[in-house]
């Protein structure tokens, strides 16, 4: 049964899919978003508890210097709901021998830090002068940085950073895929520093506006953003609780089969954007391109559990003055990091309360994320007490478990993405977007979605038809 005609159907209502849909919507195209869950946002999920805590159950901050993103938030009417991070958020810590030690943010800080021995510091500072041959093949993150800054810096600085941001194993992640600018710098200049200094300047005819990087959230948590996009698109143009189960290329248009209302529905559209996790996208493109489907299935995801703990402020033995603390794998702790949510954003907790977020699991110890809720809470409480000096039991506990939390850019990732790009080149009215390409952070996922929307807009413009002509095409 033919239900409706659209210029584009976006499969997946996370921030990437919503960004693609909104990009097309602003250009006057008729867009439909199909989301399998009963809400939009994907891993961006915020709730407010009866106790007055605001919990971000996935990502909890946005950091960007992208003027386009900032302007979009204003266009969506979110200016008054933006909550900037406290200045103390610039202070971040790494756990060494059970003690949080501040990460240096300047050359002077690097010289005085207790995170590295003098030998380790000299190895880092000597990076521009280390003349080591560049491997011709692909290299892991651990191998790449061990060559450039030494094993000690990798163990004490890089390992916890990769675990905290990517939930990844530095021995398995691709340096070229995870840190493309640093990888290219070494190829260009023989070292990270020399290569960055030799980076060619981009010439622009018009001076582009610039802004300093800002870290922020929203009054109701990060979910304020995807909810605002969904409202802008209109209720009838965002279907939640419905799953796309089939995709057919019929030449002049596409057919998308949707399940979720007790029957299968077939939708016709001029273009399709797949904005689901890679393993879901694989099922949709299997009949179109088995090689692309195989590449998508080869992208692993690391599981992560998120435990929110709320305490009375008088339970603190000292102020939590910073963003949080990360744990290197050498510390053999249960957690990847403990974030000090209410220090960064005071509005997420009542004035006399504090809120922490304990993250565990990841690619190195995935089994930790799959423990029972009781075990996760018990472990989080113990780590908060031992590492942060918090006394007593929490007033609030909340567990969120993400079985497929963060895409892993493992060795061979660039070749997998190249396979997807070849599919898109053959079928320009089909685009794929998501955190598995272009970067895992929320701003990068948003930018990937915007890019997919812009490529679809170009393909639709080239066709020179409208959604209304699909009725004739069907005949």
């Amino acid at each position: 049964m033919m239900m409706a005609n659209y210029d584009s159907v976006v499969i997946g209502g996370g921030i990437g899919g919503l960004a693609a849909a909104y990009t097309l919507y602003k250009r006057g195209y008729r867009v439909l978003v199909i989301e399998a869950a009963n809400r939009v946002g994907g891993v961006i999920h915020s709730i407010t508890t009866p106790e007055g805590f605001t919990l971000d159950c996935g990502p909890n901050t946005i950091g960007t210097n992208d003027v386009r993103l900032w302007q979009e938030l204003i266009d969506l009417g979110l200016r008054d709901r933006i909550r900037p991070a406290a200045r103390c958020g610039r202070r971040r810590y790494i756990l060494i021998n059970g003690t949080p030690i501040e990460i240096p943010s300047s050359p002077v800080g690097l010289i005085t830090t207790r995170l590295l021995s003098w030998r380790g510091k000299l190895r880092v500072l000597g990076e521009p002068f280390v003349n080591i041959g560049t491997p011709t093949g692909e290299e892991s993150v651990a191998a790449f940085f061990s060559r450039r800054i030494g094993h000690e810096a990798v163990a004490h600085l890089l390992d916890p950073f990769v675990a905290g941001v990517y939930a990844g194993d530095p021995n398995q992640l691709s340096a070229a895929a995870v840190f493309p600018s640093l990888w290219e710098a070494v190829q260009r200049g023989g070292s990270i520093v020399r290569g960055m200094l030799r980076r060619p300047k981009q010439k622009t005819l018009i001076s582009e506006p610039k802004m300093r990087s800002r870290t922020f959230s929203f009054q109701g948590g990060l979910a304020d953003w995807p909810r605002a996009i969904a409202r802008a698109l209109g209720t009838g143009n965002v279907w939640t609780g419905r799953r796309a189960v089939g995709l057919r290329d019929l030449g002049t248009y596409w057919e998308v089969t949707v399940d979720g209302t007790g029957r299968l529905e077939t939708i016709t559209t001029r273009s399709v954007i797949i904005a689901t996790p890679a393993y879901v996208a694989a099922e949709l493109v299997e009949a179109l391109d088995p090689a692309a489907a195989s590449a998508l299935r080869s992208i692993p995801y690391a599981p992560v559990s998120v435990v929110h703990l709320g305490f009375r402020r008088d339970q603190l033995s000292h102020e939590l003055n910073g963003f949080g603390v990360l744990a290197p794998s050498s510390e053999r702790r249960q957690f990847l990091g403990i974030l000090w949510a209410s220090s960064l954003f005071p509005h997420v907790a009542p004035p006399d309360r504090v809120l922490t977020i304990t993250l565990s699991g990841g690619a190195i110890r995935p089994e930790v994320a799959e423990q029972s809720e009781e075990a996760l809470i018990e472990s989080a409480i113990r780590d908060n007490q031992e590492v942060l000096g918090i006394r007593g039991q929490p007033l609030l506990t909340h567990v969120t478990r993400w079985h497929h939390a963060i895409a892993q850019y493992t060795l061979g990732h660039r070749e997998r993405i190249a396979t997807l790009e070849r599919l898109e080149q053959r079928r320009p009215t089909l685009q794929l977007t998501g955190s598995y390409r272009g970067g895992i952070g929320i701003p990068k996922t948003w930018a990937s979605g915007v890019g997919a929307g812009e490529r679809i807009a170009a393909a639709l413009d080239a066709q020179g038809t409208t959604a209304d002509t699909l009725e004739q095409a069907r005949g």
Side-chain angles (χ1 to χ4, degrees):
M1 176 181 178
M2 297 294 182
M3 293 296 296
N5 292 328
Y6 294 90
D7 290 308
S8 191
V9 167
V10 178
I11 303 173
I15 197 61
L18 291 171
Y22 191 53
T23 297
L24 290 165
Y25 170 81
K26 289 187 292 184
R27 297 191 181 197
Y29 291 109
R30 190 179 182 197
V31 184
L32 173 67
V33 176
I34 301 171
E35 168 55 48
N38 60 6
R39 60 173 181 81
V40 296
V43 295
I44 299 178
H45 181 39
S46 310
I47 60 176
T48 301
T49 73
E51 298 87 354
F53 292 93
T54 298
L55 312 183
D56 270 305
C57 302
N60 72 321
T61 61
I62 298 172
T64 185
N65 62 352
D66 193 325
V67 176
R68 298 175 306 159
L69 191 157
W70 194 260
Q71 186 59 53
E72 179 170 303
L73 298 177
I74 295 173
D75 292 343
L76 289 166
L78 290 171
R79 181 198 290 269
D80 292 340
R81 297 189 66 78
I82 292 173
R83 297 293 178 267
R87 291 178 62 86
C88 71
R90 299 174 184 176
R91 305 182 67 180
R92 305 178 183 218
Y93 296 80
I94 289 176
L95 194 70
I96 299 295
N97 296 323
T99 301
I101 298 177
E102 187 172 354
I103 301 173
S105 57
S106 67
V108 173
L110 178 61
I111 293 172
T112 59
T113 183
R114 291 182 292 153
L115 287 171
L116 299 174
S117 67
W118 276 108
R119 183 184 296 272
K121 295 171 185 177
L122 291 173
R123 183 66 177 82
V124 172
L125 293 171
E127 192 276 336
F129 311 104
V130 175
N131 192 11
I132 299 176
T134 301
T136 56
E138 192 171 18
E139 196 173 22
S140 73
V141 166
F144 173 76
F145 282 99
S146 292
R147 284 194 310 107
R148 299 314 316 164
I149 61 175
H151 296 290
E152 184 181 351
V154 167
H156 289 183
L157 296 175
L158 182 74
D159 176 281
F161 172 80
V162 170
V165 176
Y166 296 91
D169 181 350
N171 292 296
Q172 298 299 321
L173 296 178
S174 164
V178 177
F179 299 101
S181 62
L182 300 184
W183 172 265
E184 292 166 4
V186 171
Q187 312 312 303
R188 183 169 54 244
S191 86
I192 295 173
V193 173
R194 293 200 305 270
M196 296 301 287
L197 292 174
R198 295 178 186 177
R199 181 171 51 186
K201 294 183 178 180
Q202 295 181 347
K203 295 182 179 180
T204 56
L205 297 177
I206 301 175
S207 178
E208 296 180 354
K210 297 180 180 179
M211 61 176 274
R212 291 183 302 172
S213 183
R214 304 181 186 182
T215 301
F216 58 93
S217 183
F218 302 96
Q219 180 61 35
L222 291 192
D224 278 359
W225 184 12
R227 291 169 187 159
I229 298 178
R231 286 194 300 270
L233 294 173
T235 304
N237 297 321
V238 180
W239 293 0
T240 56
R242 304 191 197 186
R243 184 182 303 274
V245 296
L247 181 63
R248 295 176 64 202
D249 182 359
L250 299 181
T252 56
Y253 66 99
W254 294 81
E255 283 186 351
V256 181
T257 304
V258 182
D259 185 14
T261 60
R263 59 174 181 168
L264 296 180
E265 307 171 23
T266 302
I267 302 166
T268 57
T269 176
R270 298 170 63 198
S271 64
V272 174
I273 297 174
I274 301 177
T276 65
Y279 53 90
V280 177
E283 302 301 318
L284 293 170
V285 305
E286 177 67 58
L288 298 172
D289 190 326
S294 177
L296 287 162
R297 288 194 187 94
S298 299
I299 300 174
Y301 282 71
V304 174
S305 66
V306 182
V307 180
H308 285 85
L309 300 178
F311 298 93
R312 298 189 316 273
R313 187 164 295 277
D314 62 15
Q315 290 179 264
L316 298 181
S317 59
H318 57 83
E319 282 297 317
L320 302 178
N321 189 20
F323 192 102
V325 58
L326 301 174
S329 54
S330 60
E331 289 288 307
R332 300 189 180 280
R333 291 280 180 168
Q334 288 279 76
F335 69 90
L336 299 171
I338 304 176
L339 309 182
W340 308 337
S342 55
S343 297
L344 194 63
F345 300 115
H347 73 277
V348 303
D352 58 343
R353 302 287 188 263
V354 294
L355 181 68
T356 68
I357 305 172
T358 304
L359 309 173
S360 61
I364 294 179
R365 301 185 65 187
E367 72 283 354
V368 174
E370 304 299 337
Q371 296 179 100
S372 68
E373 288 195 7
E374 293 76 11
L376 288 168
I377 291 172
E378 180 182 352
S379 175
I381 293 173
R382 182 175 61 253
D383 285 327
N384 275 250
Q385 291 172 339
E386 293 179 0
V387 175
L388 305 183
I390 297 178
R391 300 180 294 267
Q393 296 298 304
L395 306 172
L396 170 134
T397 63
H398 186 277
V399 176
T400 308
R401 201 190 308 272
W402 301 99
H403 298 290
H404 301 91
I406 301 176
Q408 300 295 291
Y409 293 19
T410 54
L411 296 170
H413 190 77
R414 290 192 301 172
E415 287 73 17
R416 298 182 194 107
I417 299 304
T419 302
L420 304 184
E421 291 171 347
R422 288 191 287 271
L423 167 61
E424 294 172 329
Q425 290 166 1
R426 290 191 297 269
R427 290 180 165 89
T429 55
L430 173 67
Q431 296 291 317
L432 295 94
T433 185
S435 63
Y436 58 84
R437 62 187 303 188
I440 64 165
I442 295 300
K444 290 184 177 180
T445 303
W446 171 85
S448 175
V450 170
E454 290 174 343
R455 292 190 296 274
I456 287 294
L460 295 178
D461 290 344
Q463 287 182 353
T465 57
T466 66
D468 294 337
T469 64
L470 284 176
E471 188 65 32
Q472 299 176 0
R474 290 186 313 179

